[in-house]
C-alpha cells in the first residue's frame, strides 16, 4: 500500500475512533456530574483520562497536532478536577465544550477541511487557563490510588478495550465499516430473492412434467417409451431443483441472520448524545430534567438506529422545551422540581415500538386547534386533534426562539419515521405529560408485502400494515358530511379509492370492489383497489439521492420475477384518506328511471326548509315539505316518497325517531334517509347511523353539492 492510501486508511480509522471517544467523553462527564461516592468519582476520572489519552496518542499517529495539543491540555483540566475531588460547574463546562470541539474537528476532517479557525483552536487558551486556575483554599482530597493511564501507542489501536486481556486465547475485535455491512446485507437480500425466484422455476418444471404425462398417455409404442424416459428425467430434475431451492433458502436464511447480528447495536447507541442535549437545553431554559433510557440493551439494526437518531433528538428537545415545566411551576403543581423524560424500546412481533414520554404539562389542544384553524387545517373537535401538531408549520410556541416556534420539529419526526415505513402517534394527559409512540419495522432491507393494482399500475404495501381485506357491498358504505365511510363493527372508517389518493385516473366501477383496511398506529382507513394480486417477500430499495421525497412512496419493491413496484407508505395513505372526499360512483350506477324522484323534506325552520326545497327542486326532484317529523311520517304513509331529507331537532317527532319509524316499517324499511343537522358531536353522528340513517350531513359544513351527490348515490 502506498503512503497516501495508508494515510487515508489511518485517518478513516482515527475518525471512527474519535466518534466513539467523543460519545464516551459525554457519557462519563454526565455521570461525573451526578457522582455521589468517592469510589464512583475516581472510577469516572480514570475512564475520562484514559479516553483523552487514547485520542491524544491516535491524533499523534495521524499527525493532527492541534487535536494532540488540545487533548494534552484537556488532560490537565481533568487532573485539576481530580485534584479538587469534585466537578465544579466551571470546569465541567470547559470539559463539555472540549468534547463538542473534538466532535466538530472530526466532522471537519471527514470533509477534508482544515482545522485552522475551528472551535477547537479557539478553545486552546480557555483550556490553558482552566488547567492553571488558582488553587481552591479547601484542602484537596487524596487522589485515587489507581496509577495514571499508560501512554497510548503511536498507532491507533483502541479497538482492544483497556480492560480486555490480550492473551493468545483471546481474538482481537475487528472493525467493519457500516458501508461494508450494508453491502453485505444487500447481497444477502438478493440471494433470498433468488431463492424465492427458484421456487417459481420449480413450479414451472412440475407443470411441464404434468403436461408431458398427459401427452404420454396419448402416445403408443416407441414414442410412449421415449416420453416415459423424458418424463422420468424431468421428474428427477424437478426433485433436484426443489432440493437445491430448499438448501439455498436455508443457507440464505443463516447468512441473513448472521449479517443482521453483525449489524445490530444496542438501542442505547441511538440514544447516545440525547442526555447531553437534554442537559444543555434544560440549563439554557432554567429547568431541571433527568433523561432515562429503558430497554437500552435491546439489539437493533444499525440502519434503523441511525434513522431513529434525529426523530428522537427532536422529541427529546420538544419534551424539554414544551413539556417539562420550570422548577417553580412544577413545585406549584405538586411535582418534583426535576422533570423526567423517558425513552423506552420494546419488540412487538416484527416491529419495534419506541416511546418518548415526559411528566410535564401535556398538550394544549385548544391552542393546537386555534393554530390549525388559522392555517385552514381541518379540526374535528375530538381526541384526534392532538395529531395536528405533526402538520408542517404548526407550532403552539408563543414566540420564535432558537429552540422552538417554527413548527418544523414534529413534522420532521413524522416524515423521517414514515420514510422508515413507520408511524408516529401522540397521547397525553393534561397536567401529567405527553407520550409519543414511534412504531417502525425491525428490518429495512426485506419485507413481506401485499401486491395490488390500481389505475392499471402495480403497487406494494407492507403486509404488517394491512389489517384485513374486503369485498365491498353498497350497504357497507355510508356518507357522513360528504365523505364515504366504511361501516365497521364499532366505528366508521374513512374510505377512498387508491387511485383518488394517488392522483391516478379512476378505474371503472365494479359491483363488489376489493379494498384493504390499512392501520397506522391507532388510525385506520379503507383503500379501494382494482385487484389484490399476491402476498410475497421482496427486497426493498431506496428511491436514491435524486428523489428526496415522493408523495405516499417510501421505496421500491424488487419482486421475485425481477419486476419492480412502488412501495406505498401506509401511514401517509391513511392520513390522506382521512380527509379525502371520495367521489360518487364507487359502485356501478343503476339505470335511472325517467320519472322524477319524490323527496320528503322535514325541517321546522322555515328558512332552512325553503333553501333545501329550492336546491332539491332545481336538481329535478319533486319535494314534499313538512314542518316536523310527525307530519313527515303521516305524509309518507299516505303519499309515499323515494327518499327522506330530515332535520334532527324538531317538535313532536325528531329526526332520530322518524328514522327509527321508517326502518321499522316493512313498507319503507329500505328507503334512503339523509339527516341534515347542526349536531356535529361524534356521539350524535354515531346515533344517527345507529338508528339507520343512510347519510349524516352537518349544517355547519353544509354544501349543496354534497347533499345532491349523496341523494344521487343513494337513489
Amino acid at each position: 500500500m502506498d503512503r497516501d492510501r495508508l494515510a487515508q486508511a489511518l485517518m478513516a480509522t482515527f475518525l471512527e475512533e474519535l466518534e466513539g471517544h467523543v460519545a464516551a467523553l459525554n457519557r462519563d462527564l454526565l455521570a461525573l456530574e451526578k457522582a455521589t461516592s468517592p469510589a464512583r468519582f475516581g472510577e469516572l476520572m480514570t475512564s475520562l483520562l484514559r479516553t483523552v489519552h487514547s485520542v491524544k496518542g491516535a491524533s499523534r499517529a495521524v499527525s493532527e497536532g492541534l487535536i494532540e495539543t488540545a487533548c494534552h491540555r484537556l488532560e490537565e483540566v481533568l487532573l485539576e478536577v481530580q485534584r479538587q475531588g469534585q466537578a465544579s460547574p466551571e470546569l465541567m463546562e470547559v470539559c463539555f465544550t472540549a468534547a463538542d470541539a473534538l466532535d466538530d474537528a472530526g466532522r471537519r476532517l471527514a470533509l477534508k477541511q482544515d482545522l485552522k479557525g475551528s472551535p477547537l483552536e479557539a478553545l486552546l487558551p480557555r483550556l490553558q487557563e482552566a488547567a492553571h486556575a488558582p488553587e481552591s483554599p479547601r484542602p484537596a482530597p487524596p487522589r485515587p490510588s489507581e496509577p495514571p493511564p499508560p501512554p497510548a501507542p503511536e498507532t491507533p489501536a483502541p479497538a482492544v478495550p483497556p480492560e480486555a486481556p490480550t492473551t493468545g486465547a483471546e481474538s482481537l475485535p475487528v472493525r467493519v465499516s457500516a458501508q461494508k455491512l450494508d453491502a453485505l446485507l444487500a447481497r444477502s437480500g438478493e440471494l433470498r430473492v433468488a431463492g424465492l425466484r427458484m421456487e417459481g422455476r420449480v413450479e414451472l418444471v412440475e407443470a411441464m412434467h404434468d403436461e408431458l404425462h398427459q401427452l404420454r398417455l396419448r402416445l403408443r409404442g416407441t414414442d410412449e417409451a421415449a416420453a416415459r424416459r423424458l418424463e422420468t428425467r424431468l421428474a428427477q430434475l424437478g426433485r433436484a431443483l426443489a432440493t437445491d431451492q430448499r438448501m439455498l433458502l436455508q443457507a440464505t436464511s443463516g447468512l441473513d441472520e448472521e449479517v443482521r447480528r453483525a449489524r445490530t447495536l444496542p438501542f442505547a447507541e441511538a440514544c447516545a448524545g440525547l442526555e447531553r442535549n437534554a442537559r444543555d437545553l434544560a440549563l439554557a431554559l432554567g429547568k431541571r430534567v433527568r433523561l432515562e433510557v429503558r430497554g437500552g440493551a435491546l439489539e437493533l439494526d444499525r440502519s434503523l438506529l441511525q434513522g431513529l437518531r434525529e426523530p428522537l433528538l427532536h422529541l427529546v428537545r420538544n419534551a424539554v422545551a414544551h413539556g417539562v415545566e420550570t422548577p417553580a411551576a412544577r413545585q406549584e403543581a405538586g411535582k418534583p422540581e426535576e422533570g423526567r423524560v423517558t425513552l423506552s424500546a420494546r419488540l412487538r412481533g416484527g416491529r419495534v415500538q419506541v416511546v418518548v414520554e415526559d411528566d410535564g404539562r401535556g398538550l394544549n389542544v385548544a391552542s393546537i386547534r386555534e393554530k390549525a384553524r388559522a392555517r385552514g387545517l381541518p379540526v374535528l373537535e375530538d381526541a384526534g386533534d392532538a395529531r395536528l401538531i405533526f402538520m408542517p408549520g404548526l407550532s403552539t410556541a408563543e414566540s420564535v426562539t432558537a429552540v422552538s416556534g417554527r413548527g418544523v420539529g414534529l413534522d420532521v419526526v413524522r416524515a423521517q419515521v414514515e420514510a422508515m415505513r413507520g408511524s408516529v402517534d401522540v397521547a397525553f394527559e393534561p397536567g401529567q405529560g405527553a407520550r409519543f409512540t414511534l412504531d417502525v419495522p425491525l428490518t429495512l432491507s426485506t419485507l413481506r408485502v401485499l401486491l395490488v393494482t390500481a389505475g392499471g399500475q402495480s403497487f406494494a404495501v407492507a403486509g404488517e400494515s394491512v389489517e384485513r381485506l374486503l369485498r365491498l357491498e353498497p350497504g357497507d358504505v355510508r356518507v357522513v358530511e360528504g365523505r364515504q365511510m366504511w361501516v365497521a363493527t364499532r366505528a366508521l372508517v374513512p374510505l377512498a379509492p387508491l387511485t383518488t389518493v394517488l392522483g391516478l385516473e379512476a378505474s371503472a366501477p365494479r359491483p363488489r370492489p376489493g379494498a384493504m383496511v390499512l392501520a397506522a398506529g391507532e388510525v385506520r382507513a379503507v383503500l379501494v383497489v382494482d385487484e389484490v394480486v399476491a402476498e410475497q417477500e421482496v427486497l426493498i430499495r431506496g428511491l436514491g439521492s435524486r428523489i428526496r421525497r415522493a408523495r405516499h412512496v417510501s421505496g421500491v419493491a424488487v419482486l421475485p420475477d425481477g419486476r419492480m413496484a412502488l412501495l406505498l407508505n401506509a401511514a401517509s395513505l391513511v392520513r390522506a384518506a382521512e380527509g379525502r372526499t371520495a367521489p360518487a360512483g364507487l359502485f356501478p350506477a343503476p339505470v335511472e328511471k325517467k320519472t322524477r324522484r319524490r323527496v320528503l323534506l322535514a325541517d321546522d325552520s322555515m328558512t332552512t326548509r325553503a333553501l333545501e326545497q329550492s336546491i332539491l327542486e332545481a336538481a329535478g326532484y319533486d319535494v314534499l315539505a313538512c314542518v316536523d317529523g310527525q307530519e313527515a311520517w303521516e305524509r309518507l304513509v299516505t303519499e309515499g316518497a323515494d327518499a327522506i331529507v330530515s332535520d334532527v331537532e324538531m317538535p313532536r317527532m325528531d329526526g332520530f325517531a322518524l328514522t327509527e319509524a321508517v326502518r321499522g316499517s316493512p313498507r319503507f324499511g329500505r328507503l334512503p334517509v339523509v339527516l341534515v343537522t347542526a349536531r356535529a358531536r361524534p356521539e350524535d353522528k354515531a346515533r344517527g347511523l345507529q338508528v339507520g340513517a343512510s347519510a349524516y350531513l352537518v349544517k355547519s359544513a353544509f354544501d349543496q353539492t354534497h347533499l345532491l351527490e349523496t341523494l344521487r348515490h343513494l337513489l
Side-chain angles (χ1 to χ4, degrees):
M1 181 182 294
D2 59 50
R3 299 186 66 176
D4 288 342
R5 291 179 62 188
L6 176 61
Q8 291 176 5
L10 283 174
M11 179 57 73
T13 303
F14 169 72
L15 293 178
E16 191 173 349
E17 282 183 52
L18 182 60
E19 183 181 356
H21 286 318
V22 169
L25 282 174
N26 276 306
R27 182 187 65 242
D28 289 344
L29 287 171
L30 287 166
L32 191 67
E33 279 190 321
K34 304 172 185 175
T36 56
S37 69
R40 179 62 173 158
F41 179 86
E43 177 187 337
L44 290 168
M45 286 306 308
T46 300
S47 177
L48 285 165
L49 285 166
R50 182 185 294 116
T51 300
V52 176
H53 201 76
S54 296
V55 177
K56 183 171 73 171
S59 62
R60 187 185 310 125
V62 292
S63 303
E64 287 297 334
L66 178 60
I67 296 180
E68 181 183 357
T69 301
C71 288
H72 179 73
R73 294 186 181 178
L74 180 56
E75 277 183 316
E76 294 179 335
V77 174
L78 289 171
L79 288 170
E80 177 62 21
V81 173
Q82 189 180 52
R83 185 193 66 78
Q84 292 185 8
Q86 62 180 0
S88 67
E90 296 79 10
L91 291 180
M92 290 304 300
E93 280 306 312
V94 172
C95 293
F96 277 121
T97 305
D100 292 341
L102 287 171
D103 189 37
D104 172 81
R107 287 197 295 269
R108 287 172 183 260
L109 290 175
L111 297 173
K112 295 181 170 52
Q113 297 177 355
D114 190 47
L115 296 185
K116 188 172 181 60
S118 66
L120 188 63
E121 185 181 54
L123 185 65
L124 290 179
R126 187 177 172 190
L127 287 170
Q128 179 77 10
E129 180 183 350
H132 299 89
E135 290 192 6
S136 173
R138 60 185 295 276
R143 295 188 180 185
S145 58
E146 184 173 337
E154 291 296 321
T155 57
V160 183
E163 298 84 354
T166 55
T167 63
E170 292 288 337
S171 58
L172 298 179
V174 177
R175 289 185 181 273
V176 181
S177 68
Q179 290 82 0
K180 290 180 179 178
L181 285 173
D182 289 342
L184 194 57
L185 184 64
R187 297 300 183 210
S188 172
E190 289 171 2
L191 274 175
R192 190 172 187 83
V193 171
L196 294 172
R197 192 176 302 155
M198 266 191 78
E199 186 176 356
R201 304 292 186 265
V202 172
E203 292 174 356
L204 178 61
V205 170
E206 290 175 350
M208 292 174 61
H209 175 268
D210 292 341
E211 290 179 12
L212 183 58
H213 177 71
Q214 295 299 323
L215 178 62
R216 182 179 63 78
L217 295 178
R218 295 196 292 270
L219 297 176
R220 293 289 182 273
T222 57
D223 291 338
E224 182 187 7
R228 185 186 297 277
R229 287 194 299 272
L230 185 58
E231 182 182 348
T232 301
R233 293 174 64 184
L234 199 57
Q236 292 172 344
L237 175 62
R239 289 192 295 271
L241 269 178
T243 301
D244 291 346
Q245 189 249 350
R246 285 194 299 271
M247 292 178 64
L248 177 59
L249 283 181
Q250 184 177 1
T252 302
S253 298
L255 174 62
D256 195 52
E257 181 64 28
E258 292 299 328
V259 174
R260 290 183 193 283
R261 190 176 302 160
R263 285 173 50 89
T264 59
L265 292 171
F267 170 66
E269 290 282 338
C271 304
L274 294 180
E275 187 177 2
R276 171 71 192 282
N277 270 278
R279 169 200 177 271
D280 292 350
L281 182 56
L283 284 175
L285 298 175
K287 299 179 179 181
R288 293 176 55 194
V289 178
R290 181 177 75 258
L291 183 73
E292 297 179 358
V293 177
R294 299 173 184 171
L298 180 63
E299 296 277 338
L300 299 174
D301 187 274
R302 67 172 66 219
S303 60
L304 181 65
L305 293 177
Q306 187 65 33
L308 285 172
R309 280 183 185 272
E310 193 168 348
L312 291 179
L313 175 60
H314 278 296
L315 290 176
V316 168
R317 290 177 65 84
N318 184 75
V320 175
H322 296 293
V324 177
E325 311 93 331
T326 62
R330 291 180 64 84
Q331 193 172 28
E332 186 177 344
K335 299 180 180 180
E337 291 187 4
E338 184 180 57
R340 187 184 72 254
V341 179
T342 305
L343 279 76
S344 59
R346 63 172 179 169
L347 294 180
R348 295 188 63 184
R351 301 186 69 81
V352 182
Q353 191 175 81
V354 180
V355 176
V356 181
E357 190 173 11
D358 65 74
D359 64 348
R361 61 173 64 91
L363 301 182
N364 186 341
V365 179
S367 177
I368 292 172
R369 288 171 179 154
E370 180 184 346
K371 297 293 178 70
R373 289 193 187 96
R375 297 189 61 248
L377 298 174
V379 177
L380 304 176
E381 299 292 343
D382 61 21
D385 284 344
R387 299 189 187 99
L388 290 168
I389 60 175
F390 295 113
M391 300 301 291
L394 194 144
S395 173
T396 57
E398 298 297 328
S399 59
V400 176
T401 68
V403 177
S404 60
R406 301 187 186 277
V408 295
L410 294 180
D411 172 42
V412 169
V413 169
R414 186 186 69 184
Q416 292 183 332
V417 171
E418 290 182 355
M420 295 189 290
R421 308 193 307 273
S423 63
V424 58
D425 205 354
V426 61
F428 72 99
E429 188 174 343
Q432 300 301 315
R435 176 186 177 94
F436 290 84
T437 302
L438 284 63
D439 189 80
V440 292
L442 190 56
T443 176
L444 303 180
S445 57
T446 58
L447 183 67
R448 193 152 193 88
V449 301
L450 190 73
L451 294 176
V452 299
T453 60
Q457 300 184 37
S458 296
F459 300 98
V461 181
E464 59 203 10
S465 300
V466 181
E467 200 169 76
R468 59 181 293 192
L469 298 175
L470 303 170
R471 280 289 177 189
L472 295 174
E473 304 281 357
D476 297 333
V477 180
R478 298 283 179 85
V479 179
V480 179
E481 298 180 18
R483 294 163 55 199
Q484 290 188 341
M485 312 286 280
W486 173 60
V487 183
T489 307
R490 297 183 179 178
L492 293 172
V493 182
L495 179 146
L498 184 57
T499 52
T500 302
V501 174
L502 297 179
L504 303 176
E505 185 176 347
S507 306
R510 302 187 178 193
R512 298 180 66 229
M516 52 185 178
V517 182
L518 295 185
E522 300 299 321
V523 188
R524 282 160 178 71
V526 177
L527 276 299
V528 182
V529 299
D530 294 347
E531 185 181 0
V532 176
V533 180
E535 183 183 16
Q536 56 192 198
E537 189 169 6
V538 298
L539 187 66
I540 301 301
R541 287 283 181 261
L543 296 173
S545 57
R546 296 184 181 181
I547 304 176
R548 293 294 181 187
R549 287 183 65 180
R551 184 171 172 79
H552 306 313
V553 177
S554 59
V556 176
V558 183
L559 307 182
D561 60 5
R563 292 181 299 115
M564 294 190 179
L566 290 177
L567 178 65
L568 299 180
N569 187 315
S572 180
L573 293 178
V574 169
R575 191 168 57 253
E578 233 187 339
R580 181 76 57 176
T581 301
L586 184 62
F587 301 94
V591 179
E592 295 189 7
K593 299 178 182 178
K594 300 296 183 181
T595 57
R596 287 164 63 93
R597 299 294 185 95
R598 177 181 294 174
V599 176
L600 190 65
L601 174 64
D603 199 304
D604 61 335
S605 168
M606 183 183 297
T607 304
T608 303
R609 192 167 63 246
L611 171 64
E612 293 178 351
Q613 183 173 356
S614 65
I615 292 172
L616 293 169
E617 288 178 342
Y621 294 101
D622 285 333
V623 180
L624 299 178
C626 307
V627 298
D628 58 25
Q630 184 64 41
E631 182 185 352
W633 173 250
E634 292 170 355
R635 296 192 66 177
L636 176 64
V637 172
T638 57
E639 302 178 50
D642 296 301
I644 298 174
V645 176
S646 174
D647 187 17
V648 170
E649 296 182 272
M650 297 181 293
R652 296 202 293 171
M653 179 186 284
D654 64 14
F656 292 149
L658 174 61
T659 305
E660 285 182 312
V662 171
R663 291 290 173 255
S665 167
R667 178 182 171 190
F668 303 112
R670 300 179 64 84
L671 198 68
V673 178
V674 179
L675 295 180
V676 183
T677 174
R679 294 189 178 187
R681 297 183 305 171
E683 51 265 35
D684 292 325
K685 300 175 190 176
R687 186 185 173 194
L689 296 172
Q690 184 179 6
V691 298
S694 308
Y696 192 100
L697 306 180
V698 179
K699 289 181 179 179
S700 60
F702 181 77
D703 184 336
Q704 68 177 39
T705 304
H706 288 167
L707 174 61
L708 296 177
E709 284 189 355
T710 300
L711 277 175
R712 186 163 65 87
H713 171 71
L714 294 172
L715 292 174

